[in-house]
Amino acid sequence: RADGEAGASLPVSRSASRVTNAERGIARSIPASMAAARVATTTSATLTNYNAKGLVVLLDVTAVGAPAGTVTTIELLAMVGATEVLFATLDITNLGAIGVRAAIAYPTAAITGVTAWDAAANTVIPRIFRVRVVHLDGNSITYSVNVSFIN
C-alpha cells in the first residue's frame, strides 16, 4: 500500500518531521465515532486538525428506533487544556430516517439558505477539537460520525 493509505504501516524509524500530509489528516476523512446504537449525547475522542481550515461532518444513520430517536445538533468543541469550549453548532433537523446527513464548518460556509448541506457554520476549525452529537430524547438511533478535513 502507498504511504498514508488506510492500513499502511509506517517504518519504526520515521521521524516526526517526515510525516506526510496524509498521515497528518490533511484533506482526508477520519472516524469521530464508530457505528453504535445510542440513546444519549455522545462526544468523540480528541481529534487533531493539522492544517485544515474547515471540515465536513458526516452523520451516517443506519437504524432508528421506534419512535425515531432525535439528534438535535452536532457541536464542535475546541479543547483548551482539559476544558471543552463550544465553537460551532450544526443543527440537523431532518433526522428520523436511515441515511447520511452532511454538515460543513468552514470560514465561508453559508449559514442560511443551505441547499447542499443539512447544516452549516461559518467558522475555522481549531487544532484540537471534539465532535459531540446531542440527543433530544432517550430513543435509540444507530449512527457513526466521520469528519473530512477541508484545506
Side-chain angles (χ1 to χ4, degrees), residues 59-65 67-71 92-101 141-143:
L59 180 71
D60 185 7
V61 178
T62 56
V64 287
T70 305
V71 175
I92 304 293
T93 58
N94 62 348
L95 196 61
I98 293 171
V100 176
R101 283 29 172 227
I141 184 166
T142 302
Y143 61 87

PDB file of all heavy atoms in Angstrom, residues 59-65 67-71 92-101 141-143:
ATOM      1  N   LEU A  59     -22.885  12.361   9.339  1.00  0.00           N
ATOM      2  CA  LEU A  59     -23.622  11.571  10.328  1.00  0.00           C
ATOM      3  C   LEU A  59     -24.341  10.486   9.545  1.00  0.00           C
ATOM      4  O   LEU A  59     -25.289  10.767   8.809  1.00  0.00           O
ATOM      5  CB  LEU A  59     -24.613  12.467  11.076  1.00  0.00           C
ATOM      6  CG  LEU A  59     -25.460  11.804  12.147  1.00  0.00           C
ATOM      7  CD1 LEU A  59     -24.599  11.435  13.348  1.00  0.00           C
ATOM      8  CD2 LEU A  59     -26.581  12.736  12.568  1.00  0.00           C
ATOM      9  N   ASP A  60     -23.865   9.249   9.638  1.00  0.00           N
ATOM     10  CA  ASP A  60     -24.408   8.124   8.873  1.00  0.00           C
ATOM     11  C   ASP A  60     -25.351   7.322   9.759  1.00  0.00           C
ATOM     12  O   ASP A  60     -24.912   6.537  10.602  1.00  0.00           O
ATOM     13  CB  ASP A  60     -23.269   7.252   8.353  1.00  0.00           C
ATOM     14  CG  ASP A  60     -23.751   6.129   7.452  1.00  0.00           C
ATOM     15  OD1 ASP A  60     -24.953   6.084   7.109  1.00  0.00           O
ATOM     16  OD2 ASP A  60     -22.909   5.286   7.086  1.00  0.00           O
ATOM     17  N   VAL A  61     -26.650   7.516   9.572  1.00  0.00           N
ATOM     18  CA  VAL A  61     -27.675   6.840  10.371  1.00  0.00           C
ATOM     19  C   VAL A  61     -28.018   5.516   9.698  1.00  0.00           C
ATOM     20  O   VAL A  61     -28.434   5.482   8.543  1.00  0.00           O
ATOM     21  CB  VAL A  61     -28.943   7.716  10.498  1.00  0.00           C
ATOM     22  CG1 VAL A  61     -30.023   6.992  11.283  1.00  0.00           C
ATOM     23  CG2 VAL A  61     -28.605   9.049  11.136  1.00  0.00           C
ATOM     24  N   THR A  62     -27.824   4.408  10.435  1.00  0.00           N
ATOM     25  CA  THR A  62     -28.091   3.082   9.867  1.00  0.00           C
ATOM     26  C   THR A  62     -29.308   2.404  10.473  1.00  0.00           C
ATOM     27  O   THR A  62     -29.786   1.416   9.938  1.00  0.00           O
ATOM     28  CB  THR A  62     -26.859   2.172  10.024  1.00  0.00           C
ATOM     29  OG1 THR A  62     -26.501   2.119  11.413  1.00  0.00           O
ATOM     30  CG2 THR A  62     -25.681   2.708   9.218  1.00  0.00           C
ATOM     31  N   ALA A  63     -29.827   2.919  11.590  1.00  0.00           N
ATOM     32  CA  ALA A  63     -31.051   2.367  12.186  1.00  0.00           C
ATOM     33  C   ALA A  63     -31.659   3.405  13.122  1.00  0.00           C
ATOM     34  O   ALA A  63     -30.935   4.122  13.813  1.00  0.00           O
ATOM     35  CB  ALA A  63     -30.754   1.083  12.962  1.00  0.00           C
ATOM     36  N   VAL A  64     -32.973   3.484  13.121  1.00  0.00           N
ATOM     37  CA  VAL A  64     -33.681   4.364  14.048  1.00  0.00           C
ATOM     38  C   VAL A  64     -34.698   3.528  14.808  1.00  0.00           C
ATOM     39  O   VAL A  64     -35.334   2.648  14.254  1.00  0.00           O
ATOM     40  CB  VAL A  64     -34.374   5.547  13.337  1.00  0.00           C
ATOM     41  CG1 VAL A  64     -33.368   6.555  12.866  1.00  0.00           C
ATOM     42  CG2 VAL A  64     -35.225   5.074  12.189  1.00  0.00           C
ATOM     43  N   GLY A  65     -34.819   3.795  16.120  1.00  0.00           N
ATOM     44  CA  GLY A  65     -35.753   3.068  16.960  1.00  0.00           C
ATOM     45  C   GLY A  65     -37.171   3.551  16.755  1.00  0.00           C
ATOM     46  O   GLY A  65     -37.446   4.463  15.994  1.00  0.00           O
ATOM     47  N   PRO A  67     -40.268   5.019  18.971  1.00  0.00           N
ATOM     48  CA  PRO A  67     -40.265   6.077  17.957  1.00  0.00           C
ATOM     49  C   PRO A  67     -38.843   6.481  17.594  1.00  0.00           C
ATOM     50  O   PRO A  67     -37.916   6.206  18.329  1.00  0.00           O
ATOM     51  CB  PRO A  67     -41.001   7.227  18.647  1.00  0.00           C
ATOM     52  CG  PRO A  67     -40.735   7.002  20.096  1.00  0.00           C
ATOM     53  CD  PRO A  67     -40.662   5.504  20.283  1.00  0.00           C
ATOM     54  N   ALA A  68     -38.731   7.139  16.460  1.00  0.00           N
ATOM     55  CA  ALA A  68     -37.415   7.516  15.951  1.00  0.00           C
ATOM     56  C   ALA A  68     -36.654   8.368  16.953  1.00  0.00           C
ATOM     57  O   ALA A  68     -37.212   9.272  17.554  1.00  0.00           O
ATOM     58  CB  ALA A  68     -37.557   8.289  14.638  1.00  0.00           C
ATOM     59  N   GLY A  69     -35.378   8.051  17.148  1.00  0.00           N
ATOM     60  CA  GLY A  69     -34.521   8.859  18.007  1.00  0.00           C
ATOM     61  C   GLY A  69     -34.303  10.223  17.375  1.00  0.00           C
ATOM     62  O   GLY A  69     -34.398  10.382  16.173  1.00  0.00           O
ATOM     63  N   THR A  70     -34.021  11.211  18.183  1.00  0.00           N
ATOM     64  CA  THR A  70     -33.849  12.567  17.678  1.00  0.00           C
ATOM     65  C   THR A  70     -32.483  13.100  18.066  1.00  0.00           C
ATOM     66  O   THR A  70     -32.148  13.139  19.236  1.00  0.00           O
ATOM     67  CB  THR A  70     -34.934  13.496  18.263  1.00  0.00           C
ATOM     68  OG1 THR A  70     -36.205  12.934  17.960  1.00  0.00           O
ATOM     69  CG2 THR A  70     -34.841  14.873  17.670  1.00  0.00           C
ATOM     70  N   VAL A  71     -31.713  13.477  17.089  1.00  0.00           N
ATOM     71  CA  VAL A  71     -30.463  14.179  17.313  1.00  0.00           C
ATOM     72  C   VAL A  71     -30.732  15.617  16.932  1.00  0.00           C
ATOM     73  O   VAL A  71     -31.175  15.896  15.829  1.00  0.00           O
ATOM     74  CB  VAL A  71     -29.316  13.610  16.453  1.00  0.00           C
ATOM     75  CG1 VAL A  71     -28.058  14.430  16.607  1.00  0.00           C
ATOM     76  CG2 VAL A  71     -29.057  12.160  16.811  1.00  0.00           C
ATOM     77  N   ILE A  92     -29.170  19.707  12.912  1.00  0.00           N
ATOM     78  CA  ILE A  92     -29.659  18.683  11.992  1.00  0.00           C
ATOM     79  C   ILE A  92     -31.160  18.539  12.252  1.00  0.00           C
ATOM     80  O   ILE A  92     -31.565  18.071  13.316  1.00  0.00           O
ATOM     81  CB  ILE A  92     -28.952  17.327  12.212  1.00  0.00           C
ATOM     82  CG1 ILE A  92     -27.438  17.484  12.089  1.00  0.00           C
ATOM     83  CG2 ILE A  92     -29.483  16.272  11.256  1.00  0.00           C
ATOM     84  CD1 ILE A  92     -26.935  17.821  10.704  1.00  0.00           C
ATOM     85  N   THR A  93     -31.974  18.940  11.289  1.00  0.00           N
ATOM     86  CA  THR A  93     -33.420  18.961  11.512  1.00  0.00           C
ATOM     87  C   THR A  93     -34.163  17.839  10.804  1.00  0.00           C
ATOM     88  O   THR A  93     -35.300  17.558  11.134  1.00  0.00           O
ATOM     89  CB  THR A  93     -34.012  20.303  11.049  1.00  0.00           C
ATOM     90  OG1 THR A  93     -33.697  20.486   9.665  1.00  0.00           O
ATOM     91  CG2 THR A  93     -33.438  21.451  11.852  1.00  0.00           C
ATOM     92  N   ASN A  94     -33.557  17.194   9.831  1.00  0.00           N
ATOM     93  CA  ASN A  94     -34.277  16.186   9.051  1.00  0.00           C
ATOM     94  C   ASN A  94     -33.903  14.758   9.443  1.00  0.00           C
ATOM     95  O   ASN A  94     -33.796  13.889   8.613  1.00  0.00           O
ATOM     96  CB  ASN A  94     -34.046  16.411   7.555  1.00  0.00           C
ATOM     97  CG  ASN A  94     -32.587  16.273   7.171  1.00  0.00           C
ATOM     98  OD1 ASN A  94     -31.710  16.226   8.024  1.00  0.00           O
ATOM     99  ND2 ASN A  94     -32.323  16.202   5.883  1.00  0.00           N
ATOM    100  N   LEU A  95     -33.710  14.533  10.730  1.00  0.00           N
ATOM    101  CA  LEU A  95     -33.343  13.203  11.195  1.00  0.00           C
ATOM    102  C   LEU A  95     -34.596  12.391  11.486  1.00  0.00           C
ATOM    103  O   LEU A  95     -35.611  12.930  11.864  1.00  0.00           O
ATOM    104  CB  LEU A  95     -32.490  13.317  12.461  1.00  0.00           C
ATOM    105  CG  LEU A  95     -31.728  12.064  12.850  1.00  0.00           C
ATOM    106  CD1 LEU A  95     -30.746  11.676  11.760  1.00  0.00           C
ATOM    107  CD2 LEU A  95     -30.998  12.286  14.134  1.00  0.00           C
ATOM    108  N   GLY A  96     -34.540  11.106  11.350  1.00  0.00           N
ATOM    109  CA  GLY A  96     -35.679  10.248  11.629  1.00  0.00           C
ATOM    110  C   GLY A  96     -35.753   9.089  10.659  1.00  0.00           C
ATOM    111  O   GLY A  96     -36.573   8.200  10.802  1.00  0.00           O
ATOM    112  N   ALA A  97     -34.879   9.089   9.661  1.00  0.00           N
ATOM    113  CA  ALA A  97     -34.837   8.001   8.695  1.00  0.00           C
ATOM    114  C   ALA A  97     -33.376   7.631   8.446  1.00  0.00           C
ATOM    115  O   ALA A  97     -32.464   8.421   8.698  1.00  0.00           O
ATOM    116  CB  ALA A  97     -35.498   8.425   7.389  1.00  0.00           C
ATOM    117  N   ILE A  98     -33.173   6.429   7.938  1.00  0.00           N
ATOM    118  CA  ILE A  98     -31.830   5.965   7.605  1.00  0.00           C
ATOM    119  C   ILE A  98     -31.271   6.823   6.472  1.00  0.00           C
ATOM    120  O   ILE A  98     -31.989   7.192   5.549  1.00  0.00           O
ATOM    121  CB  ILE A  98     -31.876   4.477   7.209  1.00  0.00           C
ATOM    122  CG1 ILE A  98     -32.259   3.650   8.433  1.00  0.00           C
ATOM    123  CG2 ILE A  98     -30.554   4.007   6.627  1.00  0.00           C
ATOM    124  CD1 ILE A  98     -32.549   2.199   8.132  1.00  0.00           C
ATOM    125  N   GLY A  99     -29.994   7.154   6.562  1.00  0.00           N
ATOM    126  CA  GLY A  99     -29.336   7.942   5.527  1.00  0.00           C
ATOM    127  C   GLY A  99     -28.186   8.745   6.089  1.00  0.00           C
ATOM    128  O   GLY A  99     -27.936   8.747   7.289  1.00  0.00           O
ATOM    129  N   VAL A 100     -27.483   9.442   5.212  1.00  0.00           N
ATOM    130  CA  VAL A 100     -26.332  10.242   5.603  1.00  0.00           C
ATOM    131  C   VAL A 100     -26.735  11.716   5.646  1.00  0.00           C
ATOM    132  O   VAL A 100     -27.354  12.218   4.723  1.00  0.00           O
ATOM    133  CB  VAL A 100     -25.156  10.052   4.623  1.00  0.00           C
ATOM    134  CG1 VAL A 100     -23.984  10.953   4.978  1.00  0.00           C
ATOM    135  CG2 VAL A 100     -24.717   8.595   4.597  1.00  0.00           C
ATOM    136  N   ARG A 101     -26.359  12.381   6.737  1.00  0.00           N
ATOM    137  CA  ARG A 101     -26.559  13.824   6.871  1.00  0.00           C
ATOM    138  C   ARG A 101     -25.188  14.466   6.811  1.00  0.00           C
ATOM    139  O   ARG A 101     -24.247  13.994   7.443  1.00  0.00           O
ATOM    140  CB  ARG A 101     -27.201  14.184   8.217  1.00  0.00           C
ATOM    141  CG  ARG A 101     -28.689  13.952   8.383  1.00  0.00           C
ATOM    142  CD  ARG A 101     -29.247  12.843   7.580  1.00  0.00           C
ATOM    143  NE  ARG A 101     -30.644  12.527   7.905  1.00  0.00           N
ATOM    144  CZ  ARG A 101     -31.060  11.301   8.088  1.00  0.00           C
ATOM    145  NH1 ARG A 101     -30.228  10.293   8.043  1.00  0.00           N
ATOM    146  NH2 ARG A 101     -32.335  11.086   8.307  1.00  0.00           N
ATOM    147  N   ILE A 141     -30.929   5.357  18.379  1.00  0.00           N
ATOM    148  CA  ILE A 141     -30.554   5.617  16.989  1.00  0.00           C
ATOM    149  C   ILE A 141     -29.130   5.087  16.796  1.00  0.00           C
ATOM    150  O   ILE A 141     -28.277   5.247  17.666  1.00  0.00           O
ATOM    151  CB  ILE A 141     -30.665   7.118  16.645  1.00  0.00           C
ATOM    152  CG1 ILE A 141     -30.375   7.349  15.175  1.00  0.00           C
ATOM    153  CG2 ILE A 141     -29.765   7.959  17.513  1.00  0.00           C
ATOM    154  CD1 ILE A 141     -30.773   8.718  14.689  1.00  0.00           C
ATOM    155  N   THR A 142     -28.916   4.395  15.685  1.00  0.00           N
ATOM    156  CA  THR A 142     -27.600   3.837  15.386  1.00  0.00           C
ATOM    157  C   THR A 142     -26.945   4.698  14.311  1.00  0.00           C
ATOM    158  O   THR A 142     -27.527   4.915  13.251  1.00  0.00           O
ATOM    159  CB  THR A 142     -27.718   2.378  14.896  1.00  0.00           C
ATOM    160  OG1 THR A 142     -28.377   1.614  15.906  1.00  0.00           O
ATOM    161  CG2 THR A 142     -26.357   1.785  14.611  1.00  0.00           C
ATOM    162  N   TYR A 143     -25.755   5.194  14.609  1.00  0.00           N
ATOM    163  CA  TYR A 143     -25.062   6.054  13.654  1.00  0.00           C
ATOM    164  C   TYR A 143     -23.561   6.028  13.897  1.00  0.00           C
ATOM    165  O   TYR A 143     -23.089   5.612  14.939  1.00  0.00           O
ATOM    166  CB  TYR A 143     -25.572   7.504  13.736  1.00  0.00           C
ATOM    167  CG  TYR A 143     -25.357   8.158  15.074  1.00  0.00           C
ATOM    168  CD1 TYR A 143     -24.170   8.806  15.383  1.00  0.00           C
ATOM    169  CD2 TYR A 143     -26.349   8.116  16.046  1.00  0.00           C
ATOM    170  CE1 TYR A 143     -23.976   9.400  16.613  1.00  0.00           C
ATOM    171  CE2 TYR A 143     -26.168   8.701  17.281  1.00  0.00           C
ATOM    172  CZ  TYR A 143     -24.981   9.345  17.554  1.00  0.00           C
ATOM    173  OH  TYR A 143     -24.792   9.928  18.789  1.00  0.00           O
TER     174      TYR A 143
END
